[in-house]
Amino acid sequence: MKSKLLVEFIRDQYQTKEFIPLHAPTFNGNEKNYVMETLDSTFVSSVGKYVDKFEHQIARYTGTSRAIATVNGTAALHTALYMAGVQYGDLVITQALTFVATCNALYHMGAEPIFVDVSPISLGLCPKAVENYLSEHAELTEQGCIHKTTRQIIRAVVPMHTFGHPIQLDELVVVCSKWQLALVEDAAESLGSFYKGKHTGTLGEFAAVSFNGNKIITTGGGGMVLCRNEESGQHTKHVTTTSKVPHPYEFFHDEPGFNYRMPNLNAALGCAQMEVLPEYLAQKRQLAERYKEFFGNSDITFMVEPDYAQSNYWLNAIVCRDTKQRNELLEQTNAVGVMTRPIWKLMHRLPMFEKAMRGDLSQSEVIEANLINLPSSPVEIN
Ligand SMILES: *Cc1c(COP(=O)(O)O)cnc(C)c1O
């Protein structure tokens, strides 16, 4: 694969000789109108009609009972883990191949990660690898699932739908119920991605979505907790609102709370972005089709959606023949203003997680060494 051909191909898609970012937001819909309206109303903060509207839009779109808006995706995941009952000293199974926010959220619950391998098909947590780890290292007791060596409780499993590609959720649900583990989905990257017709983030007890500036739609900064039923939704809203018991003037808070509410100003942006989400999804799917065709007969693998799923193709990704080829492509594309990126360093290589327990991570290591993300902003269909 010649980087010159790749650069030409990408410039052709975006029809520009300027710098091409990995993923940039666009605001060509009602964004300005709605944001100006919140300014005029003075309801810019955590109460306002756009917060309610945005929560309803996300709940309806994902098919979940309740969606609770938060200041960002990390805050949504932090809240989701709290709601799922993760406690100080617990262990939580997740993937080493993820963005650091997944692990930060569980670290701030006082929990420790156990890193398990990903599937090369989805790039997300592999249910078989989770089962293998548990059957070797865990046992079921009256307290629940216990790690045989440290006697800590293994409380939850947090898979991440990498770049929007859904993991094998049915299989993971089976493993979680067998071992009595809470399933909390990090769906930060997968708004618009469906697993066998169900939206990602709706098979776990709780899930977190992100609306950071680089995600498929953005609220500037923002997130959402997806809750399986009305009751857990109300409780989630309560804890993101400092756990204040409603009263005309008394300050009474009945449990540890967060101040994680999304401001109305940001929700206004979110409501407008939801209106264009279907168009973005169509545009990104077409772009992915073209990448797939482009890499068709090369020595590079373009990551396509798993056959059981419909991906949002948030970030397009290729797996190179080897690390040398990856490094050359990274160097040569970035040098001419076409932004490409390697995948995140595996979490156990970061100082704060280097002592974490882990299973075999050989698939994660291959991907870490050879993957590149390519420009993926939605682009006009022509
Ligand atoms: C973006 C992202 C988050 C966190 O979202 P923020 O809104 O940036 O806090 C969490 N997990 C993953 C995998 C992400 O990509």
Side-chain angles (χ1 to χ4, degrees):
M1 172 62 54
K2 293 266 191 306
S3 72
K4 210 167 152 249
L5 279 177
L6 176 58
V7 166
E8 262 170 39
F9 171 78
I10 294 172
R11 291 212 173 279
D12 212 35
Q13 305 310 306
Y14 288 97
Q15 295 285 311
T16 177
K17 297 203 157 46
E18 315 267 293
F19 173 74
I20 299 175
L22 206 59
H23 205 288
T26 41
F27 304 115
N28 299 324
N30 283 315
E31 287 85 355
K32 275 186 191 147
N33 296 341
Y34 296 172
V35 170
M36 290 310 286
E37 202 186 313
T38 62
L39 291 178
D40 291 339
S41 75
T42 77
F43 281 90
V44 295
S45 195
S46 42
V47 174
K49 73 168 191 189
Y50 282 114
V51 174
D52 299 334
K53 190 173 165 207
F54 190 38
E55 289 180 344
H56 282 119
Q57 270 177 316
I58 293 287
R60 198 175 334 115
Y61 180 77
T62 59
T64 198
S65 271
R66 279 292 296 272
I68 306 301
T70 58
V71 285
N72 59 49
T74 312
L77 194 56
H78 193 191
T79 307
L81 292 167
Y82 174 86
M83 289 301 302
V86 173
Q87 290 173 31
Y88 188 87
D90 284 352
L91 296 170
V92 174
I93 293 177
T94 190
Q95 52 205 68
L97 189 93
T98 185
F99 178 57
V100 70
T102 314
C103 294
N104 282 338
L106 65 94
Y107 177 88
H108 289 298
M109 283 310 304
E112 294 169 35
I114 297 176
F115 297 121
V116 169
D117 215 0
V118 296
S119 145
I121 306 297
S122 69
L123 306 179
L125 196 62
C126 172
K128 217 185 209 119
V130 176
E131 171 59 37
N132 289 345
Y133 185 90
L134 288 166
S135 50
E136 194 177 333
H137 297 285
E139 65 189 33
L140 274 177
T141 70
E142 273 170 21
Q143 284 90 51
C145 184
I146 302 285
H147 197 283
K148 278 188 204 166
T149 320
T150 68
R151 308 311 294 172
Q152 287 165 285
I153 296 181
I154 306 176
R155 190 78 65 179
V157 178
V158 183
M160 197 276 280
H161 305 290
T162 307
F163 308 140
H165 299 308
I167 67 141
Q168 294 165 288
L169 280 162
D170 282 345
E171 288 82 351
L172 192 60
V173 166
V174 169
V175 175
C176 286
S177 64
K178 173 180 167 194
W179 291 94
Q180 301 176 18
L181 302 169
L183 177 57
V184 177
E185 294 175 64
D186 183 343
E189 305 184 352
S190 63
L191 183 70
S193 296
F194 293 81
Y195 171 83
K196 297 186 181 171
K198 294 175 192 154
H199 197 279
T200 49
T202 62
L203 283 91
E205 285 175 41
F206 293 93
V209 178
S210 168
F211 308 110
N212 190 34
N214 62 346
K215 296 299 199 298
I216 187 161
I217 63 165
T218 186
T219 57
M224 198 72 82
V225 187
L226 306 185
C227 310
R228 200 186 259 178
N229 57 51
E230 182 58 33
E231 196 189 341
S232 66
Q234 273 179 24
H235 190 182
T236 302
K237 187 74 172 181
H238 182 66
V239 304
T240 59
T241 316
T242 71
S243 301
K244 185 178 185 294
V245 177
H247 188 281
Y249 47 84
E250 293 286 356
F251 287 100
F252 185 72
H253 308 261
D254 61 356
E255 70 174 287
F258 300 108
N259 178 17
Y260 275 173
R261 287 168 297 178
M262 176 186 283
N264 200 38
L265 201 52
N266 301 77
L269 204 49
C271 288
Q273 288 269 283
M274 274 308 278
E275 294 170 0
V276 293
L277 177 62
E279 192 183 323
Y280 285 179
L281 285 168
Q283 292 179 350
K284 288 168 76 68
R285 176 160 292 270
Q286 193 190 58
L287 179 62
E289 288 292 338
R290 290 181 179 171
Y291 272 127
K292 182 180 157 190
E293 203 182 301
F294 177 78
F295 290 108
N297 290 320
S298 74
D299 51 358
I300 285 176
T301 309
F302 177 73
M303 291 304 303
V304 294
E305 64 196 352
D307 55 12
Y308 52 77
Q310 194 181 327
S311 174
N312 66 2
Y313 284 102
W314 170 55
L315 281 190
N316 291 294
I318 52 173
V319 180
C320 296
R321 188 183 57 221
D322 53 32
T323 309
K324 183 168 168 283
Q325 183 187 44
R326 183 202 64 168
N327 292 346
E328 281 168 10
L329 281 180
L330 276 173
E331 187 59 41
Q332 291 162 6
T333 49
N334 283 291
V336 295
V338 171
M339 187 171 168
T340 59
R341 282 283 179 271
I343 200 168
W344 320 284
K345 280 218 174 1
L346 298 182
M347 289 299 110
H348 66 279
R349 301 196 204 286
L350 306 182
M352 57 285 194
F353 303 119
E354 67 188 5
K355 293 203 176 68
M357 288 185 275
R358 50 187 177 265
D360 168 63
L361 298 176
S362 46
Q363 297 293 348
S364 306
E365 282 161 5
V366 171
I367 293 157
E368 178 194 38
N370 300 319
L371 188 140
I372 298 181
N373 286 123
L374 301 172
S376 302
S377 310
V379 60
E380 292 286 314
I381 293 176
N382 53 46

